[in-house]
Amino acid sequence: GWLVRQRPELVEDVGFVLNEGGGGRLVGTTPVFGVEVTQKIPLWVRVTARGTPGHGSSPRVETAPHALVRALDRIVRQRFEARLLPTVDTYLRSVADLQPPALAPLYGDPVALLDDPEALLKLQLESPATHALLRDTCSVTRLGASLKINVIPGTAWAELDCRLLPDTDPDAFLEKLAILVDDPGIQLTRLMGFTAASSSTETELYEAIESTLEEALPTARVVPTMAAGFTDSHFFRDLGIPSYGFGTLLLPPSEFAGVHGNDERVNVEAFREAVRLYHEVLTRFVAP
């Protein structure tokens, strides 16, 4: 973001961007490569409650922590409307037959899934990352209040990591949160938010990715995806530069468990093969 704003000449002639955000995984024995073409919009919000401070031994009827807890309860209990975007629909249907029996019907008919609260809950329990592709979400990630256990603070706050589907208007969503909280004493402050942007799959680079991987691995599936998280790709997409989250590392499910955890690692054989495949894609694109 800093480079785009402060050194725009560095990206003046950029035609495409390859970035993190997509990748491969082995589903059984089938290689599945997700190419990220869009992502949910981050909307980070601070929720602040204020009240009269005092001693913990003499609680008041109303305090800042009490008001904050009520507001957060209303937010975390809310299940925002489920919606199916075309990219997500394509992705779910493309990999439905590779899912375990409990999930295959949900992936195979995502339109029906939208109107089935029990099925949506089942999906969230089994695959939270997939469920997050179907609705706006908010997670309470940070909390703060008194620095001493015996002091009722005058201010209590929490921070929300909200992720919005690309067709959600962030301003309208913030208004929705205010209505949901229904407390004029609660302040909602936007900390960060991006614009929605996507990249077309009808480009020479996407074609090179798709054709190279399908030729190198005849059973492979290459599908466009939407990321529940976000990357720097949106800075380039805002400039009209097609950007793809793309990776060629193929890992079994057992190795995904270590991501951002203890002993995070990938096996050497998979890494070497990933470098080879990535090189093949680039070679086909720049020197077809």
Side-chain angles (χ1 to χ4, degrees):
W2 186 91
L3 286 172
V4 166
R5 290 190 298 270
Q6 304 298 328
R7 297 291 304 278
E9 73 277 5
L10 295 178
V11 296
E12 282 180 357
D13 298 323
V14 171
F16 296 92
V17 169
L18 287 177
N19 194 11
E20 62 172 337
R25 67 174 58 204
L26 287 169
V27 182
T29 59
T30 302
V32 177
F33 295 94
V35 183
E36 181 266 320
V37 297
T38 190
Q39 48 197 231
K40 294 183 78 174
I41 309 167
L43 179 65
W44 292 353
V45 179
R46 174 171 284 216
V47 184
T48 305
R50 292 181 173 84
T52 303
H55 199 282
S57 65
S58 304
R60 298 174 178 272
V61 172
E62 183 61 45
T63 69
H66 292 171
L68 179 66
V69 168
R70 284 198 305 271
L72 295 180
D73 180 63
R74 290 169 181 156
I75 292 172
V76 299
R77 288 178 180 272
Q78 178 67 28
R79 294 292 182 266
F80 298 105
E81 177 190 5
R83 304 197 304 283
L84 184 66
L85 301 186
T87 299
V88 178
D89 185 32
T90 298
Y91 169 74
L92 293 178
R93 294 179 188 275
S94 296
V95 298
D97 63 315
L98 302 177
Q99 304 307 310
L103 292 180
L106 307 183
Y107 281 60
D109 191 1
V111 175
L113 177 61
L114 300 184
D115 297 321
D116 190 337
E118 290 187 7
L120 284 168
L121 178 59
K122 181 178 181 180
L123 180 64
Q124 185 175 15
L125 291 170
E126 296 288 338
S127 181
T130 302
H131 172 266
L133 302 178
L134 296 173
R135 60 179 13 141
D136 302 323
T137 62
C138 286
S139 296
V140 180
T141 55
R142 299 186 70 214
L143 292 160
S146 179
L147 296 178
K148 296 186 68 177
I149 195 171
N150 65 337
V151 174
I152 298 173
T155 300
W157 59 269
E159 288 179 356
L160 308 177
D161 182 1
C162 299
R163 306 296 176 107
L164 313 182
L165 295 175
D167 61 350
T168 297
D169 179 273
D171 292 330
F173 186 82
L174 202 56
E175 291 179 7
K176 183 184 296 185
L177 287 183
I179 294 171
L180 186 63
V181 168
D182 192 26
D183 185 342
I186 296 290
Q187 180 181 2
L188 300 177
T189 305
R190 184 199 304 248
L191 300 178
M192 187 192 73
F194 299 147
T195 55
S198 62
S199 298
S200 171
T201 58
E202 303 295 324
T203 68
E204 305 95 319
L205 180 54
Y206 192 93
E207 166 61 26
I209 292 172
E210 191 172 48
S211 60
T212 302
L213 295 179
E214 289 178 349
E215 286 182 19
L217 301 167
T219 61
R221 300 188 189 181
V222 182
V223 292
T225 63
M226 179 178 73
F230 68 91
T231 69
D232 283 340
S233 288
H234 72 93
F235 291 114
F236 301 102
R237 289 173 179 150
D238 287 346
L239 298 176
I241 302 172
S243 305
Y244 301 111
F246 172 64
T248 50
L249 188 65
L250 279 173
L251 296 177
S254 59
E255 290 194 35
F256 276 101
V259 174
H260 291 341
N262 296 332
D263 301 320
E264 184 173 9
R265 64 193 183 275
V266 297
N267 68 80
V268 173
E269 181 180 350
F271 179 74
R272 286 175 173 161
E273 177 64 7
V275 173
R276 186 187 69 79
L277 286 174
Y278 211 107
H279 185 265
E280 280 194 27
V281 170
L282 296 179
T283 299
R284 170 166 295 196
F285 177 62
V286 301

